[in-house]
């Protein structure tokens, strides 16, 4: 059975003298399903909000008011490295094997964990970088100065040491500090967006590649944390008034997309999805399961609550760790299929110019043939390629025939088009038959030649 796992991080000391909870534990690895349990724990970490990043092999935590990152190995279950950086750290996130770090001086640093290369930008923010989000192509940074910068990840990682690091654009509609950022991983035009939360009691939905503000969501109190649905269908927001709010982007009255109402870009969100009890307090962090059915909230008094998104019932308390929960992150249940390497150990960062060595474990067979190599080494066209071409041709023919259909009054004009399509279809089938015959003849000659050589 597929299991769901998540990681939580705390900040600060124990809230009470509870001897049932182990001392000095700063990171917990939990199993949510099929049965909840604490799988493992790491000690000596105190990570404030937005200072946890989890990969398939490691856990990274930035320490409160310090310039340190603690690195823990999920494979070996121990602390692997203690990393010191030039400036105090305010937030971190991962983009593949690159750890992106926001500092209190208003700059970002990028650490390639497989090579140790460290890239640092100038201080483009006037105040501290409070949150950072990343996609495979872009990095978004939010700051206490109320601005959001959009960076090209490829430009930031250029090997040219003389290149100037400038953001592609700035998003500056907020009037107070940015508290959280979330970005959609989608490639669709309708769902390729980012959301920013601010102390001005609003969340703004952006087309971050153009700089356009698509929607402004207003809340009764300022948002502390938020989480996007994995399919980018909805946004969950935790506010200072201890309420949780849900904004659905593609409901009966969609907020985004071609069917959205364009009369106003400002939407008031006043009905909460749920609320916590006074003894629990507001959520300091949120996390959604990989299928979007379970919402987890972490609270300053140590509770982790589980909410059923579909039933919207009273939440259940999973655990109380007796310390302020500041970060929650689900572990992806599936390995990344497009990654051919896995970093078993990290390389500590260095700004000194040198020949970098890439250190990682290969996860695929180097001798496996690509699709191009398979076609190149096949005599003629393989049966698989021909069958795929015939199937695609049938699909396009049906689509074309459907598109050319007209009302019954235009049958005479429509018949001519259908006759042309039928004729083209017959000609293409004759071509395919000739190709099959040629392939068969080629293979027979090839086998005969091989037999003579033997």
């Amino acid at each position: 059975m597929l299991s769901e796992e998540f990681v939580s991080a705390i900040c600060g000391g124990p809230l009470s003298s509870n001897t049932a909870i182990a001392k000095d534990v700063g990171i917990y690895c939990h199993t949510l399903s099929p049965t909840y349990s604490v799988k493992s724990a790491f000690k000596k970490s105190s990570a404030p909000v937005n200072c946890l990043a989890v990969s398939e092999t490691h856990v990274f935590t930035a320490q409160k008011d310090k310039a340190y990152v603690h690195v823990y190995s999920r494979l070996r279950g121990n602390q692997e490295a203690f990393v010191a950086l030039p400036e105090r750290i305010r937030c971190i996130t991962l983009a593949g094997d690159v750890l992106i770090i926001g500092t209190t001086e208003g700059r970002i640093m990028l650490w390639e964990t497989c090579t140790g290369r460290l890239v640092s930008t100038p201080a483009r923010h006037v105040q501290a970088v409070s949150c950072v989000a990343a996609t495979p192509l872009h990095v978004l940074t939010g700051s206490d100065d109320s601005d959001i910068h959009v960076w090209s990840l490829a430009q930031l990682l250029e090997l040219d040491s003389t290149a100037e690091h400038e953001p592609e654009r700035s998003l500056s509609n907020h009037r107070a500090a940015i508290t959280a950022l979330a970005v959609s991983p989608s490639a669709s035009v309708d769902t390729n967006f980012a959301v920013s939360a601010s102390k001005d009691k609003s969340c703004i939905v952006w087309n971050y590649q153009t700089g356009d503000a698509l929607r402004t969501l207003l809340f009764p109190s300022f948002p502390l944390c938020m989480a996007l649905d994995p399919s980018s269908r909805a946004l969950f927001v935790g506010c200072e008034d201890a309420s949780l709010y849900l904004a659905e982007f593609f409901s009966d009255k969609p907020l985004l997309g071609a069917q959205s109402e364009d009369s106003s870009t400002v939407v008031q969100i006043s009905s909460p999805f749920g609320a916590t009890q006074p003894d629990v307090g507001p959520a300091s962090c949120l996390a959604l399961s990989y299928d979007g059915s379970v919402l987890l909230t972490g609270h300053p008094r140590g509770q982790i609550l589980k909410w059923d998104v579909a039933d919207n019932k009273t939440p259940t308390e999973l655990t109380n760790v007796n310390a302020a929960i500041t970060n929650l992150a689900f572990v992806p249940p599936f390995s990344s299929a497009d990654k051919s390497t896995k970093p078993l150990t990290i390389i500590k960062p260095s700004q000194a110019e040198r020949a970098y060595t890439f250190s990682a474990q290969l996860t695929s067979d180097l001798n496996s043939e690509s699709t191009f190599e398979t076609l190149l080494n096949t005599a003629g066209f393989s049966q698989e390629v021909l069958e795929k071409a015939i199937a695609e041709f049938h699909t396009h023919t049906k689509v074309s025939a459907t598109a050319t259909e007209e009302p019954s009054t235009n049958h005479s004009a429509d018949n001519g088009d259908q006759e042309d399509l039928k004729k083209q279809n017959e000609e293409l089938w004759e071509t395919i038959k000739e190709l099959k015959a040629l392939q068969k003849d080629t293979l027979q000659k090839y086998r005969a030649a091989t037999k003579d050589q033997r």
Side-chain angles (χ1 to χ4, degrees), residues 402-421:
T402 304
T404 55
E405 289 182 359
E406 298 290 340
S408 57
T409 55
N410 289 333
H411 276 313
S412 59
D414 185 54
N415 288 337
D417 293 338
Q418 289 185 357
E419 287 296 329
D420 291 340
L421 287 172

Side-chain angles (χ1 to χ4, degrees), residues 184-193 231-232 250 256:
S184 167
S186 172
S188 169
V189 176
D190 292 334
T191 57
N192 191 5
F193 56 83
S231 299
S232 304
F250 305 102
L256 301 177

Side-chain angles (χ1 to χ4, degrees), residues 38 42 86 105 238 281 304:
V38 176
F42 300 107
E105 302 300 321
I304 299 179

Side-chain angles (χ1 to χ4, degrees), residues 253-438:
K253 295 181 179 180
L255 300 178
L256 301 177
Q259 304 299 322
S260 63
E261 298 178 357
D262 296 328
S263 57
S264 175
T265 59
V266 180
V267 178
Q268 180 72 46
I269 308 294
S270 54
S271 300
F273 167 80
T276 56
Q277 299 297 322
D279 60 331
V280 176
S284 54
C285 51
L286 303 177
L288 274 164
S289 61
Y290 74 98
D291 60 356
S293 63
V294 174
L295 174 70
L296 300 182
T297 58
H299 299 267
R301 299 181 184 178
Q303 299 95 336
I304 299 179
L305 301 184
K306 174 187 174 183
W307 305 72
D308 191 315
V309 174
D311 294 341
N312 193 16
K313 296 180 180 179
T314 303
T316 58
E317 182 177 314
L318 291 180
T319 186
N320 189 326
V321 299
N322 194 35
I325 302 289
T326 51
N327 295 272
L328 290 171
F330 268 94
V331 178
F334 306 108
S335 299
S336 180
D338 57 346
K339 290 187 63 176
S340 58
T341 60
K342 178 189 293 185
L344 295 183
T345 57
I346 59 98
I347 307 298
K348 288 190 175 183
S350 172
Q351 286 183 305
E353 291 188 17
R354 58 186 176 87
Y356 295 101
T357 301
F358 184 85
S359 176
Q361 183 186 61
L362 296 173
T363 59
S364 60
D365 186 3
L366 292 179
N367 296 323
S368 59
E369 287 187 340
S370 64
T371 304
F372 175 76
E373 290 173 333
T374 303
L375 293 174
L376 188 64
N377 296 326
T378 302
F381 293 96
S382 65
Q383 187 68 22
E384 180 183 357
V385 172
L386 287 174
E387 290 176 355
K388 184 178 179 181
I390 293 171
E392 291 181 355
F393 173 74
H394 273 300
T395 302
H396 291 309
T397 302
K398 290 179 181 179
V399 172
S400 301
T402 304
T404 55
E405 289 182 359
E406 298 290 340
S408 57
T409 55
N410 289 333
H411 276 313
S412 59
D414 185 54
N415 288 337
D417 293 338
Q418 289 185 357
E419 287 296 329
D420 291 340
L421 287 172
K422 185 177 180 181
K423 185 177 179 180
Q424 293 176 11
N425 190 10
E426 291 174 352
E427 291 176 353
L428 286 170
W429 270 111
E430 289 297 327
T431 303
I432 291 172
K433 290 178 181 178
E434 292 176 1
L435 287 173
K436 280 189 172 182
L438 178 61

Side-chain angles (χ1 to χ4, degrees), residues 11-31:
C11 185
L15 300 176
S16 63
S17 56
N18 188 344
T19 57
I21 299 176
K23 295 182 179 180
D24 297 331
V25 175
I27 301 169
Y28 294 89
C29 299
H30 312 256
T31 299

Side-chain angles (χ1 to χ4, degrees), residues 35 56-57 67 73 76 83 87 92 96 114 118 130 156 158 169 209 255 270 293 303 308 401 420 437 441 449:
T35 304
E56 292 183 14
T57 55
S73 172
R76 291 181 292 274
V83 177
E87 297 178 9
I92 61 174
C114 291
L118 184 66
S130 56
L156 291 173
E158 283 183 352
R169 62 189 57 84
Q209 299 192 37
L255 300 178
S270 54
S293 63
Q303 299 95 336
D308 191 315
D420 291 340
D441 184 55

